[in-house]
Amino acid sequence: MGEETPVQEHSALSSAAEEQVSTEQQSASVETVLEDVKPTVEVEAVALSAEDNAVEEIPQEVQPVVTSVEVQPEVASMEVQPEATSMEVQPQIAVPLSGVTYQKRSDGMPQFMYDAVARIAPEQGFTSGQFEITFESGSGKGDGFVAEMFRATISEGDRKLIVLCKIPPINDARRQQFGSMPIFDREVMAYSKFLPAMYEFQREKGVTEEMNIGFFNAPQCYLAYVDIPKEESVIIMDDLRLKDYRMWNKMVPTNYEHARLLMIQLGRLHAVSLAMKEQRPEVFEQFKVPDPLNAMMRTNEGFIMMMNMSMDRAIGTLEPHEEKARQKLSKLKETLFDDISTITSAEYAEPYAVLGHGDCWINNMIYSYKRGVPMEIVLLDWQICRYVSPALDLLYFIFGCTDEAFRRQHYDEMLRIYYNSLKQLLEKLGGDASRQFPFTALLRQLKACGKFGILMAMFIVPMICIENQDLPDMNEAAEKYKESQEFDTSFITSAKSEDKYKTRMAAIIRDVIRYGYL
């Protein structure tokens, strides 16, 4: 994949093991609607002791933010399972240093990723110095701006364990262009602090995974590690593809059963926040984290250009007679970044703010099936989780990932499914939905934040309407931007997706206006 690149410092997870890493090639089938998982998940690094379930100490000089975690979704267990352990991680808002280059092995893989996998191997029962580690790509073209996925296989004799590793882009220019490190830091917080605290609280209230009435629907995490100055981060997690989980084809509008499962789990996720906020305020205080993308929106020229071009393209989908809608969008463009900043602030949502998932589009969900019917959902990619209005997760998904026909038939029902799920779990946890978050408050939040549906859709719909192979190569685009400051916007203006895009985007605009959100 590339030549070794020497650096001055060693990986923060340096290991004594120096096995040669080779890449295996595996093939997988792709169905018309359901796709193989190319997860976009992130985590922080830590080691779980197989014997006493204790977090192993990491030398102080290499311990900026290190955490070992296990997050168990409501799914069957793997061959090898760690037990849950969490470690205190302090929130960080940091800007990565420029000019950092990864130390790489002869196969082109970053040394720190190899070291992280080598670290968890003994904790999962492998013999130090006796196991081998091989990598293969776990993601493809167009799977994400700020992360790469690799499948790692740990093998010793006839025994093996396969896990997914999520890391910042190996390409230096791409990693620095999109500011990967702050959102890796956020995802580490999610796996090491937020999710374990939510799981523990539910169990204390008598709600366990086996009951299937609470929120435990995030990937199992073996290790989550971040070192912002070195621009290193590894999130090692369960590969749900091995349990026959599959992703929905992003180009097909989400159907009723898949959307219904998400509404149920979002209701439960938000219910836990509302319960903890009132009953465990000292624990919940750490959940009040801001949107990690707000700073980038104001300073990243590529992102600013992309948002403005996306708005212009959205306006262009309107018919000549839709002048009123055109005026509304033109006015929205003038306040675009101020509106996003306001809507994603906690103050705008109180007293109903919750820890939201933050990136609720169809590629961040994976489903298990029974006789072709989706039965369970796991939410991937917690990099943008933030303390905001509960309406944002709903608006993001419903307007970005369903079509006009679905919304006309099921929009009100989706809101009811979501709210009933929230109400049932909140009451089970000792709360009172009619007082803490009445349905009328949800409707007011949706109206106050409704334009967020358009703002996110104009960004995500271009990617939903274009085949992955037609998306730009992000490494090449980043190198071009580094050299010439020219940002590749081809996926925003692609003629190949124009018909699909125009149909989807124009319908979103009409619906947002019809619901009184704009």
Side-chain angles (χ1 to χ4, degrees):
M1 189 173 289
E3 298 179 356
E4 286 195 22
T5 305
V7 294
Q8 295 298 318
E9 297 181 55
H10 294 293
S11 163
L13 290 179
S14 290
S15 166
E18 290 294 336
E19 290 89 356
Q20 178 68 32
V21 180
S22 63
T23 304
E24 297 177 357
Q25 300 295 329
Q26 296 186 5
S27 61
S29 61
V30 179
E31 298 184 13
T32 302
V33 175
L34 300 170
E35 295 186 334
D36 276 346
V37 186
K38 294 176 181 175
T40 309
V41 192
E42 302 151 22
V43 188
E44 286 201 31
V46 174
L48 296 176
S49 168
E51 296 179 357
D52 58 7
N53 195 35
V55 177
E56 202 175 309
E57 290 294 329
I58 295 177
Q60 190 63 36
E61 64 271 15
V62 295
Q63 195 176 9
V65 179
V66 183
T67 308
S68 64
V69 183
E70 177 249 286
V71 180
Q72 179 63 50
E74 301 174 48
V75 294
S77 60
M78 288 183 67
E79 174 189 358
V80 183
Q81 298 277 3
E83 296 185 24
T85 305
S86 64
M87 196 173 169
E88 193 67 20
V89 178
Q90 296 301 319
Q92 297 187 30
I93 299 295
V95 178
L97 301 176
S98 61
V100 174
T101 300
Y102 286 160
Q103 179 186 7
K104 298 173 185 174
R105 296 171 62 83
S106 58
D107 60 353
M109 297 294 102
Q111 182 67 43
F112 70 83
M113 180 170 69
Y114 177 88
D115 293 340
V117 177
R119 182 177 181 83
I120 73 164
E123 292 142 17
Q124 303 307 316
F126 292 91
T127 307
S128 295
Q130 300 298 314
F131 57 84
E132 295 182 351
I133 302 172
T134 57
F135 292 94
E136 65 175 306
S137 177
S139 58
K141 186 179 179 183
D143 281 344
F145 291 94
V146 298
E148 292 189 68
M149 296 291 297
F150 292 90
R151 174 185 274 186
T153 300
I154 309 170
S155 58
E156 181 182 349
D158 294 333
R159 183 166 173 261
K160 67 179 181 179
L161 173 65
I162 300 174
V163 294
L164 288 175
C165 301
K166 184 178 184 178
I167 65 172
I170 295 175
N171 181 276
D172 301 331
R174 176 179 166 193
R175 186 173 65 254
Q176 290 151 17
Q177 178 185 2
F178 291 105
S180 299
M181 299 317 299
I183 60 175
F184 266 89
D185 186 54
R186 177 58 55 83
E187 192 163 25
V188 166
M189 291 174 66
Y191 280 100
S192 63
K193 297 177 70 173
F194 304 154
L195 290 167
M198 296 174 80
Y199 294 175
E200 181 181 1
F201 174 76
Q202 291 176 92
R203 293 175 186 127
E204 288 176 358
K205 294 291 183 175
V207 175
T208 63
E209 295 89 327
E210 296 75 18
M211 297 170 68
N212 196 28
I213 61 173
F215 181 82
F216 298 91
N217 294 61
Q220 175 186 331
C221 173
Y222 292 88
L223 176 147
Y225 159 81
V226 64
D227 183 335
I228 290 177
K230 292 184 178 180
E231 298 185 14
E232 296 178 0
S233 187
V234 188
I235 297 172
I236 302 179
M237 62 194 65
D238 203 358
D239 186 350
L240 293 171
R241 290 173 292 188
L242 301 178
K243 300 172 185 174
D244 294 327
Y245 276 70
R246 289 170 287 171
M247 294 175 76
W248 181 263
N249 184 342
K250 67 172 186 176
M251 299 188 71
V252 179
T254 315
N255 68 13
Y256 177 87
E257 286 301 329
H258 291 80
R260 173 181 166 275
L261 284 181
L262 177 63
M263 292 301 106
I264 291 171
Q265 292 304 327
L266 288 180
R268 293 175 181 177
L269 172 66
H270 297 166
V272 180
S273 277
L274 292 169
M276 292 184 68
K277 188 176 179 179
E278 181 170 281
Q279 300 174 43
R280 300 285 192 277
E282 69 290 344
V283 175
F284 191 76
E285 193 64 29
Q286 65 185 330
F287 285 53
K288 298 180 179 180
V289 291
D291 188 321
L293 294 184
N294 269 337
M296 184 179 74
M297 284 193 307
R298 301 284 187 176
T299 59
N300 188 298
E301 293 181 5
F303 187 82
I304 292 171
M305 180 188 303
M306 186 164 54
M307 292 296 286
N308 283 323
M309 291 187 67
S310 297
M311 177 62 83
D312 289 339
R313 190 184 184 195
I315 293 173
T317 65
L318 297 172
E319 299 295 334
H321 68 273
E322 297 178 292
E323 184 57 32
K324 187 175 180 180
R326 194 183 323 277
Q327 291 175 2
K328 286 178 178 289
L329 283 187
S330 296
K331 184 177 180 180
L332 180 61
K333 183 181 177 182
E334 295 175 3
T335 59
L336 171 63
F337 296 101
D338 288 338
D339 285 339
I340 294 177
S341 181
T342 297
I343 291 171
T344 58
S345 68
E347 295 77 14
Y348 196 69
E350 293 292 19
Y352 309 116
V354 298
L355 183 74
H357 177 273
D359 202 6
C360 270
W361 75 294
I362 195 63
N363 270 22
N364 287 335
M365 302 153 204
I366 188 167
Y367 297 86
S368 68
Y369 297 84
K370 186 174 182 180
R371 291 189 290 274
V373 177
M375 303 301 294
E376 294 181 352
I377 180 175
V378 173
L379 302 186
L380 311 173
D381 198 344
W382 293 79
Q383 286 185 329
I384 314 179
C385 63
R386 65 266 174 104
Y387 183 62
V388 292
S389 169
L392 300 194
D393 282 341
L394 304 180
L395 292 164
Y396 192 166
F397 176 80
I398 293 176
F399 286 100
C401 301
T402 67
D403 61 11
E404 184 175 24
F406 178 95
R407 291 188 293 272
R408 287 185 177 273
Q409 186 173 358
H410 300 301
Y411 184 71
D412 292 341
E413 184 181 1
M414 289 296 113
L415 299 184
R416 283 293 179 183
I417 290 172
Y418 162 81
Y419 187 77
N420 288 339
S421 176
L422 181 149
K423 181 175 183 290
Q424 290 169 8
L425 181 57
L426 183 55
E427 291 177 353
K428 184 72 175 178
L429 297 173
D432 180 359
S434 64
R435 174 178 55 82
Q436 292 178 260
F437 189 40
F439 188 72
T440 52
L442 170 61
L443 298 180
R444 290 195 301 271
Q445 286 286 302
L446 287 165
K447 187 162 187 176
C449 301
K451 65 181 70 172
F452 188 78
I454 282 183
L455 295 175
M456 291 298 100
M458 71 183 194
F459 175 71
I460 210 72
V461 170
M463 291 188 284
I464 285 178
C465 291
I466 190 170
E467 296 282 0
N468 277 3
Q469 62 263 28
D470 294 325
L471 287 167
D473 183 291
M474 298 313 300
N475 291 338
E476 292 179 3
E479 292 289 351
K480 179 180 179 181
Y481 181 78
K482 181 179 179 181
E483 295 296 326
S484 64
Q485 298 301 297
E486 293 181 13
F487 189 78
D488 190 337
T489 57
S490 59
F491 77 95
I492 299 175
T493 58
S494 174
K496 292 183 178 181
S497 64
E498 186 59 31
D499 290 343
K500 283 186 177 181
Y501 171 81
K502 185 173 182 179
T503 299
R504 291 281 292 267
M505 195 69 226
I508 291 167
I509 296 169
R510 287 193 295 268
D511 282 352
V512 169
I513 293 174
R514 182 163 62 89
Y515 291 124
Y517 296 164
L518 182 64

